Amino acid sequence: MKDQSIKVLANMEMSKPFIGTRYSEAIYKNSTHIMGFCFDGTTSFRPGARFGPDALRDASFGLETYSPYQDLDIEEFSIIDCGNLPIYPSKWKLTNDYFHGMTQDLDLKKDNIKFLVLGGEHSISYGPIRLALDNYDDLCLIHLDAHADFRDGYLEEKFSHASIMRRVYDHFTEKNTLIQYGIRSGTKEEFEFMKEKDTLAKSLEAFIERVEAINSTRPIYLTLDLDFFDPAFMPGTGTPEAGGENFHSFIKLIKVLKEKNLVGADIVELAPMIDATGNSSAFASKVAREVLLALQK
Ligand code: MN
Ligand code: MN
């Protein structure tokens, strides 16, 4: 393998890597790195997202490494599964500080390093999005979710899964853009906030139009809360919300994103034990394969 390892990680934990990827506790140039955050400490309704990363990996063994949608195969690319952060599932600050400590000296752009972070609940996206913002000052953030996540804190927790977009938005400059789609739940204030900032695309067509208008070299980060999908397809999630998207509309939008410069992503809120059939994990795993491939150039 011609990619050089530039940093060795300590104490990562995992059973087996995502299908078609290589397990290594190290960061490599010109590579995408899968990393699990087994954290669900701010969950307000149904816990269990801490089991998400390994459920996604286990379910990936029912998939092919080849995607007929994108005509790409995971095995064609340098994709490393680094395992899970060794952090207790209820320590938000520890989780994010650990990730920050591990990645703060990386130059993602120069070394072409990407992350696909697996949650965990949505608050885990804070660290990975901050990292992307630090490395790409004109980052465009795409947020797919049923919930606005724009509360200014929730249940005495400033960094709650219900306030993650607000916390990330605190770090935005005039060079950043936020595009949200799928949002169908929030407070009146959150909807007013989205209206004021014009962040919410109200239909798939409107969303695709916004993404197509982004310059093809501009860095994009995707944060995908799996409750974006309808509970008919994804019941295994902490806060299900009727009226969601299906796999086909997701494929439409991921194909548009594939043509852009996707530099990082996270997939959060799979709580596998809530869905005893295992279908949610299988669904989420296929979604993860497509995101992983959309990250490849
Ligand atoms: Mn969310
Ligand atoms: Mn949500």
Side-chain angles (χ1 to χ4, degrees):
M1 182 163 186
K2 55 185 182 305
D3 304 302
Q4 310 154 253
S5 157
I6 56 172
K7 189 186 182 82
V8 176
L9 309 170
N11 306 318
M12 301 297 283
E13 297 171 348
M14 191 177 48
S15 45
K16 53 183 178 181
F18 197 88
I19 195 161
T21 71
R22 185 167 65 93
Y23 175 58
S24 174
E25 291 185 3
I27 305 290
Y28 295 80
K29 289 185 181 181
N30 304 311
S31 301
T32 301
H33 305 79
I34 298 174
M35 202 173 276
F37 282 43
C38 301
F39 171 80
D40 58 10
T42 81
T43 305
S44 48
F45 188 33
R46 311 192 297 183
R50 68 181 66 178
F51 302 111
D54 283 337
L56 275 160
R57 292 183 178 108
D58 286 345
S60 75
F61 286 83
L63 296 173
E64 299 289 354
T65 55
Y66 173 73
S67 162
Y69 310 103
Q70 300 187 60
D71 190 24
L72 295 173
D73 196 308
I74 290 177
E75 290 179 340
E76 291 167 30
F77 303 99
S78 177
I79 304 176
I80 317 294
D81 195 332
C82 300
N84 302 325
L85 294 180
I87 294 298
Y88 190 70
S90 64
K91 300 293 181 196
W92 186 89
K93 195 172 178 307
L94 275 179
T95 310
N96 273 276
D97 285 356
Y98 196 90
F99 182 76
H100 180 68
M102 240 168 44
T103 55
Q104 60 181 341
D105 54 343
L106 297 175
D107 188 331
L108 303 192
K109 194 173 179 179
K110 180 169 125 311
D111 292 330
N112 188 24
I113 296 167
K114 294 180 179 183
F115 286 97
L116 170 63
V117 171
L118 307 177
E121 43 123 301
H122 210 164
S123 65
I124 66 106
S125 305
Y126 180 79
I129 296 173
R130 283 289 318 266
L131 178 72
L133 284 167
D134 287 347
N135 279 267
Y136 300 97
D137 63 353
D138 58 341
L139 189 78
C140 176
L141 178 62
I142 291 183
H143 174 215
L144 303 179
D145 200 325
H147 309 92
D149 292 351
F150 257 132
R151 279 183 153 92
D152 194 13
Y154 191 53
L155 303 176
E156 299 186 327
E157 178 57 72
K158 209 160 167 59
F159 289 88
S160 165
H161 68 108
S163 58
I164 173 63
M165 294 318 293
R166 187 61 165 261
R167 290 289 78 80
V168 164
Y169 206 74
D170 291 343
H171 299 285
F172 266 41
T173 70
E174 69 284 351
K175 292 174 82 176
N176 299 120
T177 307
L178 173 64
I179 303 174
Q180 298 175 287
Y181 177 56
I183 317 296
R184 53 194 182 275
S185 174
T187 63
K188 191 169 193 289
E189 290 72 29
E190 287 178 288
F191 274 88
E192 277 168 0
F193 192 83
M194 289 189 288
K195 196 172 175 191
E196 184 197 320
K197 308 288 184 191
D198 189 28
T199 56
L200 182 60
K202 295 202 176 106
S203 68
L204 182 63
E205 293 69 29
F207 172 79
I208 286 175
E209 206 172 292
R210 285 193 193 206
V211 175
E212 277 178 339
I214 300 169
N215 186 306
S216 62
T217 58
R218 187 172 175 193
I220 298 176
Y221 184 101
L222 168 67
T223 183
L224 170 58
D225 181 331
L226 289 162
D227 62 32
F228 166 76
F229 294 103
D230 195 86
F233 310 112
M234 261 297 306
T237 192
T239 322
E241 184 79 33
E245 296 294 309
N246 63 29
F247 187 76
H248 303 293
S249 61
F250 168 75
I251 286 297
K252 272 188 199 152
L253 68 85
I254 204 76
K255 281 180 166 176
V256 177
L257 281 172
K258 170 76 186 123
E259 299 309 312
K260 302 292 172 179
N261 182 23
L262 202 54
V263 297
D266 60 65
I267 301 173
V268 298
E269 298 283 359
L270 171 66
M273 288 170 183
I274 293 173
D275 178 6
T277 68
N279 287 341
S280 297
S281 301
F283 186 100
S285 195
K286 188 165 175 179
V287 166
R289 181 187 73 191
E290 297 305 321
V291 173
L292 207 46
L293 289 170
L295 281 162
Q296 309 307 316
K297 276 282 162 276

